[in-house]
Amino acid sequence: MNAWLVRGLGMALIHVVFRALLGAAIAQWPLQGSTLRWLSLLIVIVFAAIWGGIDGIRDRRNFPEPEDGADLTMLWLKAALVGGFVAGAASWALSLVPSLELTQQGLFFEVTSGAAFTILLIFVPAMIAITVGRFFVSREQRKNGTAPQTPSHERHHEPVPVSEGYDSPTEQHAYSGAAMSVEESDADTAVFPAIDLGKRER
């Protein structure tokens, strides 16, 4: 299963579970509804941040150079899209059960406005945590002296010796001979004395 699909379904499950718990809690303590809603949103944000931070730390440890790292932005964007739409549709479907009160909105609202809000709750905290995780790993590598000292643009464009790229010394010798022939062909041309045609006819 794709990594973004795992993260999307996981965040959708977390979102639906806490919406169900929120509905049950509001039924028991109706006066604390506002506080309980903010608490459930905070829990979803924390889960997304923890998961994103783990991805950022793992990616920077595996790839010290930023240019070599994985594209976690697209990974978490796809995961947020999946999480938003799945959570919205699942919440609407579970609200049809009489004992569960996840939402009072219709399916169209849940897969549009509701899904957009859930996408932001997943994507934004995850990206912030990824950036922070990569930053702390890079700083730790610099302190320990394990960070790469040569810039990436220089490491990827190092000069290759002439001997490399040839299967045998014969091919290298042939290349050297060809190069010498080209250099010799660029040498100054010998100047020959002019021939006087008038004297030759006589």
Side-chain angles (χ1 to χ4, degrees):
M1 187 178 293
N2 293 330
W4 57 268
L5 186 58
V6 173
R7 285 157 178 76
L9 294 178
M11 292 305 304
L13 178 62
I14 293 171
H15 187 79
V16 171
V17 168
F18 280 96
R19 283 187 72 170
L21 295 176
L22 175 64
I26 291 177
Q28 294 293 327
W29 303 285
L31 299 179
Q32 303 296 328
S34 178
T35 303
L36 293 172
R37 287 187 181 91
W38 281 108
L39 180 61
S40 63
L41 290 178
L42 181 61
I43 291 174
V44 173
I45 291 173
V46 168
F47 269 98
I50 292 174
W51 207 337
I54 293 173
D55 283 343
I57 292 172
R58 183 184 303 163
D59 180 72
R60 185 48 51 88
R61 286 179 177 174
N62 294 333
F63 304 99
E65 274 297 329
E67 297 179 356
D68 300 332
D71 188 3
L72 298 181
T73 301
M74 288 304 300
L75 185 146
W76 273 98
L77 179 59
K78 294 177 182 179
L81 291 173
V82 172
F85 288 115
V86 172
S91 298
W92 174 82
L94 292 175
S95 65
L96 300 178
V97 180
S99 59
L100 295 176
E101 295 181 2
L102 274 75
T103 180
Q104 297 178 352
Q105 305 294 336
L107 177 61
F108 180 76
F109 176 85
E110 289 294 337
V111 297
T112 53
S113 299
F117 182 67
T118 306
I119 289 170
L120 292 177
L121 287 181
I122 297 173
F123 181 71
V124 175
M127 293 309 302
I128 294 175
I130 288 170
T131 304
V132 173
R134 284 174 168 173
F135 170 77
F136 280 109
V137 173
S138 297
R139 189 176 69 172
E140 180 183 358
Q141 290 175 346
R142 288 194 295 268
K143 288 183 178 179
N144 297 335
T146 58
Q149 301 297 328
T150 306
S152 59
H153 66 277
E154 294 182 4
R155 290 189 295 106
H156 293 303
H157 296 84
E158 292 180 353
V160 179
V162 177
S163 58
E164 295 184 4
Y166 296 97
D167 297 334
S168 63
T170 305
E171 294 184 4
Q172 181 183 354
H173 179 72
Y175 175 84
S176 302
M180 293 177 61
S181 300
V182 172
E183 293 178 357
E184 291 176 357
S185 63
D186 293 337
D188 296 336
T189 305
V191 179
F192 296 94
I195 300 176
D196 190 352
L197 298 178
K199 295 181 179 180
R200 185 175 181 180
E201 290 178 356
R202 294 175 187 178

